[in-house]
Short mmCIF file of all heavy atoms in Angstrom, two decimals:
data_model
loop_
_atom_site.label_atom_id
_atom_site.label_comp_id
_atom_site.label_asym_id
_atom_site.label_seq_id
_atom_site.Cartn_x
_atom_site.Cartn_y
_atom_site.Cartn_z
N LEU A 1513 38.40 86.86 -25.95
CA LEU A 1513 37.01 86.45 -26.01
C LEU A 1513 36.36 86.27 -24.64
O LEU A 1513 35.20 86.62 -24.46
CB LEU A 1513 36.87 85.17 -26.83
CG LEU A 1513 37.51 85.19 -28.23
CD1 LEU A 1513 37.17 83.90 -28.97
CD2 LEU A 1513 37.07 86.40 -29.04
N PRO A 1514 37.06 85.69 -23.66
CA PRO A 1514 36.36 85.42 -22.40
C PRO A 1514 36.03 86.70 -21.65
O PRO A 1514 36.71 87.72 -21.82
CB PRO A 1514 37.37 84.58 -21.61
CG PRO A 1514 38.69 84.97 -22.15
CD PRO A 1514 38.47 85.26 -23.61
N ARG A 1515 34.99 86.62 -20.83
CA ARG A 1515 34.53 87.77 -20.04
C ARG A 1515 35.02 87.63 -18.60
O ARG A 1515 35.44 86.56 -18.16
CB ARG A 1515 33.01 87.86 -20.08
CG ARG A 1515 32.44 88.02 -21.49
CD ARG A 1515 32.79 89.34 -22.15
NE ARG A 1515 33.98 89.28 -23.00
CZ ARG A 1515 34.55 90.35 -23.58
NH1 ARG A 1515 34.06 91.55 -23.36
NH2 ARG A 1515 35.63 90.22 -24.32
N MET A 1524 37.86 89.65 -19.71
CA MET A 1524 38.71 89.06 -18.69
C MET A 1524 40.03 89.84 -18.67
O MET A 1524 40.48 90.33 -19.71
CB MET A 1524 38.96 87.59 -19.07
CG MET A 1524 39.76 86.80 -18.06
SD MET A 1524 40.00 85.08 -18.63
CE MET A 1524 38.50 84.31 -18.06
N LEU A 1528 45.11 87.10 -17.56
CA LEU A 1528 44.48 85.80 -17.33
C LEU A 1528 44.02 85.15 -18.64
O LEU A 1528 44.00 83.94 -18.78
CB LEU A 1528 43.26 85.95 -16.41
CG LEU A 1528 43.52 86.46 -15.00
CD1 LEU A 1528 42.19 86.61 -14.24
CD2 LEU A 1528 44.44 85.49 -14.26
N ALA A 1529 43.64 85.99 -19.59
CA ALA A 1529 43.03 85.47 -20.81
C ALA A 1529 44.09 84.99 -21.80
O ALA A 1529 45.14 85.61 -21.94
CB ALA A 1529 42.18 86.56 -21.46
N ILE A 1530 43.80 83.90 -22.46
CA ILE A 1530 44.64 83.44 -23.56
C ILE A 1530 44.13 84.14 -24.82
O ILE A 1530 42.99 83.93 -25.21
CB ILE A 1530 44.51 81.92 -23.78
CG1 ILE A 1530 44.62 81.15 -22.47
CG2 ILE A 1530 45.49 81.43 -24.83
CD1 ILE A 1530 46.00 80.97 -21.93
N PRO A 1531 44.97 84.96 -25.45
CA PRO A 1531 44.50 85.68 -26.63
C PRO A 1531 44.21 84.73 -27.79
O PRO A 1531 44.81 83.65 -27.89
CB PRO A 1531 45.63 86.65 -26.97
CG PRO A 1531 46.82 86.19 -26.20
CD PRO A 1531 46.36 85.31 -25.09
N GLY A 1573 37.37 69.45 -25.70
CA GLY A 1573 37.02 69.01 -24.35
C GLY A 1573 36.22 70.06 -23.62
O GLY A 1573 36.20 71.22 -24.01
N GLY A 1574 35.55 69.61 -22.55
CA GLY A 1574 34.78 70.53 -21.73
C GLY A 1574 35.68 71.59 -21.12
O GLY A 1574 36.84 71.30 -20.77
N PHE A 1575 35.20 72.81 -21.05
CA PHE A 1575 35.93 73.93 -20.44
C PHE A 1575 37.14 74.39 -21.27
O PHE A 1575 38.02 75.06 -20.77
CB PHE A 1575 36.39 73.56 -19.02
CG PHE A 1575 36.20 74.69 -18.05
CD1 PHE A 1575 34.94 75.08 -17.65
CD2 PHE A 1575 37.30 75.38 -17.51
CE1 PHE A 1575 34.76 76.14 -16.75
CE2 PHE A 1575 37.14 76.43 -16.61
CZ PHE A 1575 35.87 76.80 -16.22
N HIS A 1576 37.15 74.05 -22.56
CA HIS A 1576 38.28 74.48 -23.38
C HIS A 1576 37.97 75.73 -24.23
O HIS A 1576 38.74 76.10 -25.09
CB HIS A 1576 38.77 73.34 -24.27
CG HIS A 1576 39.67 72.38 -23.53
ND1 HIS A 1576 41.01 72.24 -23.82
CD2 HIS A 1576 39.42 71.55 -22.50
CE1 HIS A 1576 41.55 71.34 -23.00
NE2 HIS A 1576 40.60 70.90 -22.20
N GLY A 1577 36.80 76.33 -24.02
CA GLY A 1577 36.54 77.61 -24.67
C GLY A 1577 35.62 77.56 -25.87
O GLY A 1577 35.55 78.53 -26.63
N LYS A 1578 34.87 76.49 -26.05
CA LYS A 1578 33.97 76.38 -27.22
C LYS A 1578 32.83 77.40 -27.15
O LYS A 1578 32.59 78.14 -28.09
CB LYS A 1578 33.37 74.96 -27.31
CG LYS A 1578 34.39 73.84 -27.40
CD LYS A 1578 33.73 72.48 -27.56
CE LYS A 1578 32.84 72.07 -26.39
NZ LYS A 1578 33.58 71.86 -25.12
N SER A 1579 32.13 77.39 -26.02
CA SER A 1579 30.98 78.28 -25.91
C SER A 1579 31.42 79.75 -25.91
O SER A 1579 30.72 80.61 -26.43
CB SER A 1579 30.20 77.98 -24.63
OG SER A 1579 29.66 76.68 -24.70
N THR A 1580 32.58 80.00 -25.35
CA THR A 1580 33.09 81.38 -25.33
C THR A 1580 33.31 81.89 -26.75
O THR A 1580 32.99 83.03 -27.07
CB THR A 1580 34.41 81.42 -24.52
OG1 THR A 1580 34.15 80.92 -23.20
CG2 THR A 1580 34.95 82.83 -24.43
N LEU A 1581 33.84 81.03 -27.60
CA LEU A 1581 34.04 81.41 -28.99
C LEU A 1581 32.69 81.66 -29.68
O LEU A 1581 32.50 82.67 -30.37
CB LEU A 1581 34.83 80.32 -29.73
CG LEU A 1581 34.96 80.48 -31.25
CD1 LEU A 1581 35.65 81.79 -31.61
CD2 LEU A 1581 35.71 79.30 -31.87
N ASP A 1670 25.20 73.24 -25.31
CA ASP A 1670 24.79 73.58 -23.94
C ASP A 1670 23.33 74.02 -23.87
O ASP A 1670 22.69 73.90 -22.83
CB ASP A 1670 25.65 74.73 -23.38
CG ASP A 1670 27.11 74.34 -23.20
OD1 ASP A 1670 27.42 73.14 -23.35
OD2 ASP A 1670 27.92 75.24 -22.93
N VAL A 1715 28.45 74.16 -31.89
CA VAL A 1715 29.34 73.67 -30.84
C VAL A 1715 28.86 72.28 -30.45
O VAL A 1715 27.71 72.11 -30.03
CB VAL A 1715 29.31 74.59 -29.59
CG1 VAL A 1715 30.04 73.92 -28.43
CG2 VAL A 1715 29.93 75.93 -29.91
N TYR A 1735 41.86 76.72 -25.12
CA TYR A 1735 41.44 78.05 -25.62
C TYR A 1735 42.08 78.44 -26.95
O TYR A 1735 41.96 79.58 -27.39
CB TYR A 1735 41.68 79.15 -24.57
CG TYR A 1735 41.19 78.75 -23.20
CD1 TYR A 1735 42.05 78.75 -22.11
CD2 TYR A 1735 39.88 78.33 -23.02
CE1 TYR A 1735 41.60 78.34 -20.86
CE2 TYR A 1735 39.42 77.94 -21.77
CZ TYR A 1735 40.29 77.93 -20.70
OH TYR A 1735 39.85 77.53 -19.47
P1 ADP B 256 33.33 74.91 -23.15
O1 ADP B 256 32.12 75.43 -23.87
O2 ADP B 256 34.37 74.37 -24.08
O3 ADP B 256 32.99 73.90 -22.11
P2 ADP B 256 33.63 77.61 -22.15
O4 ADP B 256 33.70 78.38 -23.40
O5 ADP B 256 32.36 77.65 -21.38
O6 ADP B 256 34.06 76.10 -22.38
O7 ADP B 256 34.83 78.13 -21.26
C1 ADP B 256 35.17 77.56 -20.02
C2 ADP B 256 35.87 78.59 -19.15
O8 ADP B 256 37.09 79.02 -19.73
C3 ADP B 256 35.07 79.85 -18.92
O9 ADP B 256 35.15 80.18 -17.54
C4 ADP B 256 35.74 80.89 -19.76
O10 ADP B 256 35.64 82.17 -19.20
C5 ADP B 256 37.17 80.43 -19.79
N1 ADP B 256 37.83 80.82 -21.03
C6 ADP B 256 37.32 80.72 -22.28
N2 ADP B 256 38.18 81.17 -23.20
C7 ADP B 256 39.28 81.57 -22.52
C8 ADP B 256 40.52 82.16 -22.91
N3 ADP B 256 40.79 82.41 -24.18
N4 ADP B 256 41.42 82.45 -21.94
C9 ADP B 256 41.12 82.20 -20.65
N5 ADP B 256 39.98 81.67 -20.23
C10 ADP B 256 39.06 81.35 -21.12
#
Side-chain angles (χ1 to χ4, degrees):
L1513 308 186
R1515 301 293 95 187
M1524 184 181 275
L1528 297 178
I1530 313 282
F1575 222 70
H1576 279 247
K1578 303 183 298 294
S1579 296
T1580 303
L1581 172 60
D1670 295 351
V1715 170
Y1735 313 123

